[in-house]
Protein backbone atom coordinates (compact mmCIF):
# COMPACT_ATOMS: atom_id res chain seq x y z
CA UNK A 1 0.00 0.00 0.00
CA UNK A 2 0.97 3.60 -0.48
CA UNK A 3 3.03 5.40 2.14
CA UNK A 4 1.20 8.59 1.13
CA UNK A 5 -2.56 7.91 0.99
CA UNK A 6 -3.64 4.35 1.79
CA UNK A 7 -7.09 4.98 0.27
CA UNK A 8 -5.47 5.29 -3.18
CA UNK A 9 -3.16 2.90 -5.06
CA UNK A 10 0.61 3.39 -4.69
CA UNK A 11 2.12 6.13 -6.84
CA UNK A 12 3.34 4.19 -9.85
CA UNK A 13 3.21 4.96 -13.55
CA UNK A 14 0.05 3.60 -15.20
CA UNK A 15 1.30 4.37 -18.72
CA UNK A 16 4.93 3.49 -19.49
CA UNK A 17 7.27 6.44 -18.86
CA UNK A 18 8.96 7.59 -22.07
CA UNK A 19 12.00 9.63 -22.91
CA UNK A 20 10.81 13.23 -23.15
CA UNK A 21 12.78 13.86 -26.31
CA UNK A 22 11.50 10.77 -28.15
CA UNK A 23 9.34 11.31 -31.20
CA UNK A 24 5.78 10.78 -30.09
CA UNK A 25 3.38 8.44 -31.75
CA UNK A 26 0.02 9.77 -30.60
CA UNK A 27 -3.24 8.13 -31.66
CA UNK A 28 -4.92 9.83 -34.67
CA UNK A 29 -7.59 11.30 -32.35
CA UNK A 30 -5.00 12.82 -30.00
CA UNK A 31 -2.80 13.99 -32.88
CA UNK A 32 -5.84 15.82 -34.27
CA UNK A 33 -6.66 17.40 -30.90
CA UNK A 34 -3.03 18.51 -30.48
CA UNK A 35 -3.11 20.04 -33.95
CA UNK A 36 -6.56 21.70 -33.58
CA UNK A 37 -5.62 23.30 -30.25
CA UNK A 38 -2.05 24.17 -31.46
CA UNK A 39 -0.53 22.39 -28.46
CA UNK A 40 3.25 22.29 -28.01
CA UNK A 41 5.35 19.89 -25.93
CA UNK A 42 5.74 21.26 -22.40
CA UNK A 43 9.13 20.99 -20.62
CA UNK A 44 7.25 19.49 -17.66
CA UNK A 45 5.87 16.72 -19.91
CA UNK A 46 2.50 16.78 -21.66
CA UNK A 47 1.38 19.43 -24.12
CA UNK A 48 0.16 23.00 -23.65
CA UNK A 49 -0.85 26.21 -25.35
CA UNK A 50 -1.21 29.61 -23.76
CA UNK A 51 -4.78 30.71 -24.51
CA UNK A 52 -4.78 34.08 -22.72
CA UNK A 53 -2.34 36.59 -21.27
CA UNK A 54 -4.06 39.57 -19.66
CA UNK A 55 -2.37 42.73 -20.94
CA UNK A 56 -3.46 44.47 -17.74
CA UNK A 57 -0.39 44.55 -15.47
CA UNK A 58 -0.43 44.36 -11.68
CA UNK A 59 2.32 45.05 -9.12
CA UNK A 60 4.61 42.00 -8.85
CA UNK A 61 3.54 40.36 -5.55
CA UNK A 62 6.80 38.35 -5.50
CA UNK A 63 8.96 41.46 -5.50
CA UNK A 64 12.11 40.95 -3.40
CA UNK A 65 10.98 37.55 -2.11
CA UNK A 66 14.03 35.76 -3.55
CA UNK A 67 16.69 35.17 -0.88
CA UNK A 68 20.05 36.75 -1.64
CA UNK A 69 22.95 34.51 -2.71
CA UNK A 70 24.37 34.76 0.78
CA UNK A 71 21.11 33.65 2.40
CA UNK A 72 21.09 30.37 4.28
CA UNK A 73 17.92 29.38 2.38
CA UNK A 74 19.38 27.01 -0.23
CA UNK A 75 15.95 25.67 -1.19
CA UNK A 76 14.83 28.37 -3.62
CA UNK A 77 15.83 27.98 -7.24
CA UNK A 78 13.42 30.44 -8.88
CA UNK A 79 15.48 32.44 -11.34
CA UNK A 80 13.66 35.77 -11.06
CA UNK A 81 15.68 38.41 -9.29
CA UNK A 82 12.50 39.62 -7.65
CA UNK A 83 13.18 42.98 -9.27
CA UNK A 84 10.52 42.97 -12.01
CA UNK A 85 8.01 45.60 -10.95
CA UNK A 86 4.90 44.11 -12.59
CA UNK A 87 3.29 40.90 -13.85
CA UNK A 88 0.48 40.25 -16.32
CA UNK A 89 -2.69 40.04 -14.21
CA UNK A 90 -3.31 36.41 -15.28
CA UNK A 91 -2.48 33.78 -17.90
CA UNK A 92 -4.42 30.71 -19.00
CA UNK A 93 -3.37 27.53 -20.77
CA UNK A 94 -4.79 24.27 -22.02
CA UNK A 95 -2.75 21.32 -20.75
CA UNK A 96 -2.92 17.75 -22.07
CA UNK A 97 -1.47 14.45 -20.86
CA UNK A 98 -1.47 11.49 -23.27
CA UNK A 99 -0.26 7.86 -23.24
CA UNK A 100 2.85 9.08 -25.13
CA UNK A 101 3.48 11.92 -22.67
CA UNK A 102 1.59 10.77 -19.57
CA UNK A 103 3.27 12.70 -16.75
CA UNK A 104 3.79 16.29 -15.67
CA UNK A 105 7.00 16.36 -13.61
CA UNK A 106 7.22 17.87 -10.11
CA UNK A 107 7.62 21.64 -10.28
CA UNK A 108 6.25 24.72 -8.60
CA UNK A 109 5.04 28.15 -9.60
CA UNK A 110 4.99 31.22 -7.42
CA UNK A 111 1.51 32.06 -8.66
CA UNK A 112 -1.70 30.39 -7.51
CA UNK A 113 -3.15 28.10 -10.18
CA UNK A 114 -6.83 27.32 -10.82
CA UNK A 115 -7.29 24.04 -12.75
CA UNK A 116 -10.49 23.01 -14.54
CA UNK A 117 -11.14 19.58 -16.09
CA UNK A 118 -12.37 19.26 -19.65
CA UNK A 119 -12.03 15.51 -20.21
CA UNK A 120 -10.19 12.40 -19.09
CA UNK A 121 -8.84 11.31 -15.75
CA UNK A 122 -5.60 11.78 -13.85
CA UNK A 123 -3.88 11.83 -10.49
CA UNK A 124 -2.27 14.83 -8.84
CA UNK A 125 0.37 14.89 -6.12
CA UNK A 126 0.97 18.09 -4.17
CA UNK A 127 3.91 18.50 -1.79
CA UNK A 128 3.16 21.30 0.65
CA UNK A 129 6.75 22.53 0.94
CA UNK A 130 5.41 25.45 2.98
CA UNK A 131 3.87 23.10 5.60
CA UNK A 132 6.88 21.25 6.95
CA UNK A 133 6.46 19.30 10.20
CA UNK A 134 9.30 17.67 12.15
CA UNK A 135 8.44 13.96 12.16
CA UNK A 136 10.25 10.73 12.93
CA UNK A 137 11.45 8.67 9.98
CA UNK A 138 12.93 5.25 10.79
CA UNK A 139 15.56 5.51 8.07
CA UNK A 140 17.02 8.87 8.89
CA UNK A 141 15.83 9.75 12.37
CA UNK A 142 14.12 13.08 13.06
CA UNK A 143 13.79 15.18 9.93
CA UNK A 144 11.63 17.77 8.27
CA UNK A 145 8.59 16.37 6.50
CA UNK A 146 6.18 18.19 4.25
CA UNK A 147 2.51 17.25 3.90
CA UNK A 148 1.88 15.23 0.76
CA UNK A 149 -1.59 15.41 -0.79
CA UNK A 150 -2.89 13.29 -3.65
CA UNK A 151 -6.25 13.20 -5.42
CA UNK A 152 -7.95 12.04 -8.59
CA UNK A 153 -9.32 14.47 -11.15
CA UNK A 154 -12.11 13.20 -13.37
CA UNK A 155 -15.81 13.26 -14.21
CA UNK A 156 -16.86 10.73 -11.55
CA UNK A 157 -17.92 13.24 -8.88
CA UNK A 158 -19.77 10.52 -6.93
CA UNK A 159 -16.45 8.72 -6.40
CA UNK A 160 -14.78 11.92 -5.19
CA UNK A 161 -13.05 12.84 -8.45
CA UNK A 162 -12.50 16.56 -8.82
CA UNK A 163 -13.69 18.84 -11.63
CA UNK A 164 -11.74 21.84 -10.34
CA UNK A 165 -8.68 22.07 -8.11
CA UNK A 166 -6.53 24.91 -6.80
CA UNK A 167 -2.80 24.76 -6.14
CA UNK A 168 -1.43 27.63 -4.11
CA UNK A 169 1.83 29.24 -5.11
CA UNK A 170 5.01 27.66 -3.75
CA UNK A 171 3.67 24.09 -3.61
CA UNK A 172 5.24 21.33 -5.72
CA UNK A 173 2.87 19.68 -8.16
CA UNK A 174 3.03 16.58 -10.31
CA UNK A 175 0.35 14.77 -12.31
CA UNK A 176 -0.11 11.65 -14.37
CA UNK A 177 -2.63 10.14 -16.73
CA UNK A 178 -5.11 7.49 -15.54
CA UNK A 179 -7.38 5.23 -17.59
CA UNK A 180 -11.12 5.98 -17.56
CA UNK A 181 -11.57 2.25 -16.98
CA UNK A 182 -12.32 -0.48 -19.46
CA UNK A 183 -10.53 0.89 -22.50
CA UNK A 184 -7.27 -0.47 -23.96
CA UNK A 185 -4.30 1.55 -22.76
CA UNK A 186 -3.67 2.91 -26.27
CA UNK A 187 -7.30 4.11 -26.54
CA UNK A 188 -6.88 6.64 -23.74
CA UNK A 189 -8.20 9.96 -25.05
CA UNK A 190 -5.95 11.98 -22.75
CA UNK A 191 -6.45 14.26 -19.78
CA UNK A 192 -7.35 17.75 -21.01
CA UNK A 193 -7.59 20.62 -18.54
CA UNK A 194 -7.31 24.40 -18.39
CA UNK A 195 -5.12 26.25 -15.92
CA UNK A 196 -5.23 29.92 -14.94
CA UNK A 197 -2.26 31.39 -13.05
CA UNK A 198 -2.58 34.59 -11.00
CA UNK A 199 -0.57 36.71 -11.53
CA UNK A 200 0.44 35.56 -15.00
CA UNK A 201 2.99 32.82 -15.66
CA UNK A 202 6.70 33.64 -16.03
CA UNK A 203 9.45 31.05 -16.31
CA UNK A 204 11.34 33.01 -13.67
CA UNK A 205 8.55 32.16 -11.19
CA UNK A 206 8.81 28.44 -12.07
CA UNK A 207 11.26 25.75 -10.99
CA UNK A 208 11.55 21.97 -11.01
CA UNK A 209 11.82 19.74 -7.97
CA UNK A 210 15.29 18.27 -7.49
CA UNK A 211 16.01 14.88 -5.98
CA UNK A 212 17.89 16.44 -3.05
CA UNK A 213 14.90 18.65 -2.23
CA UNK A 214 12.44 15.75 -2.53
CA UNK A 215 14.54 13.64 -0.16
CA UNK A 216 14.73 16.54 2.31
CA UNK A 217 10.97 17.22 2.19
CA UNK A 218 9.52 13.70 2.60
CA UNK A 219 10.37 10.32 4.13
CA UNK A 220 12.62 7.86 2.30
CA UNK A 221 9.59 5.62 1.58
CA UNK A 222 7.65 8.54 0.11
CA UNK A 223 10.65 9.71 -1.94
CA UNK A 224 11.06 6.17 -3.31
CA UNK A 225 7.39 6.16 -4.33
CA UNK A 226 7.63 9.56 -6.07
CA UNK A 227 11.13 9.50 -7.60
CA UNK A 228 9.80 8.59 -11.06
CA UNK A 229 7.75 11.81 -11.08
CA UNK A 230 10.89 13.99 -11.18
CA UNK A 231 11.98 15.60 -14.44
CA UNK A 232 14.56 13.39 -16.17
N1 LIG B 1 5.02 28.65 -20.94
C1 LIG B 1 5.64 27.53 -20.56
N2 LIG B 1 4.99 26.92 -19.59
C2 LIG B 1 3.94 27.66 -19.34
C3 LIG B 1 2.89 27.53 -18.43
O1 LIG B 1 2.80 26.59 -17.65
N3 LIG B 1 1.97 28.51 -18.45
C4 LIG B 1 2.03 29.55 -19.32
N4 LIG B 1 1.07 30.48 -19.27
N5 LIG B 1 3.00 29.69 -20.17
C5 LIG B 1 3.94 28.76 -20.19
Amino acid sequence: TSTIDSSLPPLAPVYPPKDGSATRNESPKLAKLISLLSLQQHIEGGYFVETDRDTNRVPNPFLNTTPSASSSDQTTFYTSTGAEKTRNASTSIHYLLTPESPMGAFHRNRGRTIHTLHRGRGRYVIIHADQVMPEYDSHSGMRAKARVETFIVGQNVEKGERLQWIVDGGKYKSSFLLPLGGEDAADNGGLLISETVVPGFEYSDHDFMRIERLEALVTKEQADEMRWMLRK
Side-chain angles (χ1 to χ4, degrees):
T1 60
S2 177
T3 61
I4 291 157
D5 182 342
S6 55
S7 75
L8 290 173
L11 288 170
V14 177
Y15 294 91
K18 297 190 178 173
D19 183 341
S21 63
T23 306
R24 290 184 178 139
N25 187 24
E26 301 292 353
S27 71
K29 244 178 102 173
L30 278 169
K32 191 172 176 194
L33 180 67
I34 289 163
S35 163
L36 285 170
L37 293 179
S38 304
L39 302 179
Q40 306 292 322
Q41 294 193 8
H42 200 294
I43 52 166
E44 294 160 6
Y47 300 84
F48 84 110
V49 62
E50 192 172 278
T51 53
D52 180 63
R53 179 168 287 266
D54 193 341
T55 55
N56 178 37
R57 297 193 75 93
V58 296
N60 179 1
F62 316 124
L63 202 58
N64 300 322
T65 54
T66 302
S68 66
S70 61
S71 163
S72 61
D73 183 354
Q74 296 303 313
T75 62
T76 295
F77 303 111
Y78 299 121
T79 56
S80 67
T81 61
E84 304 103 338
K85 294 265 186 301
T86 63
R87 287 279 184 268
N88 296 89
S90 72
T91 55
S92 293
I93 61 169
H94 290 317
Y95 185 69
L96 175 72
L97 293 178
T98 70
E100 290 291 303
S101 191
M103 194 260 292
F106 266 118
H107 68 280
R108 63 183 172 172
N109 281 301
R110 278 186 166 131
R112 184 168 183 267
T113 305
I114 300 121
H115 306 68
T116 304
L117 179 75
H118 297 299
R119 57 172 87 154
R121 190 163 168 265
R123 183 154 171 196
Y124 272 72
V125 184
I126 311 298
I127 299 182
H128 296 259
D130 54 342
Q131 294 176 21
V132 175
M133 313 286 260
E135 197 171 302
Y136 188 72
D137 171 45
S138 57
H139 286 268
S140 58
M142 202 67 81
R143 63 191 289 176
K145 257 190 52 172
R147 182 163 79 89
V148 184
E149 179 190 10
T150 180
F151 51 87
I152 309 288
V153 306
Q155 307 280 0
N156 200 334
V157 176
E158 280 187 23
K159 285 203 170 148
E161 296 180 357
R162 298 195 195 177
L163 299 172
Q164 189 182 75
W165 56 105
I166 315 297
V167 177
D168 274 327
K171 300 181 193 270
Y172 289 96
K173 170 178 86 179
S174 177
S175 58
F176 61 95
L177 183 65
L178 292 179
L180 287 176
E183 83 276 8
D184 291 337
D187 283 347
N188 190 299
L191 170 66
L192 179 67
I193 70 168
S194 280
E195 299 188 24
T196 296
V197 190
V198 178
F201 178 89
E202 295 294 339
Y203 270 113
S204 57
D205 292 328
H206 170 288
D207 67 7
F208 283 101
M209 177 75 95
R210 300 176 181 194
I211 182 64
E212 300 80 13
R213 184 92 209 274
L214 180 65
E215 287 175 343
L217 282 171
V218 302
T219 65
K220 179 170 188 315
E221 287 85 351
Q222 290 175 331
D224 287 345
E225 211 176 320
M226 294 188 282
R227 203 176 300 275
W228 65 279
M229 303 179 81
L230 294 172
R231 187 181 182 219
K232 293 289 177 300

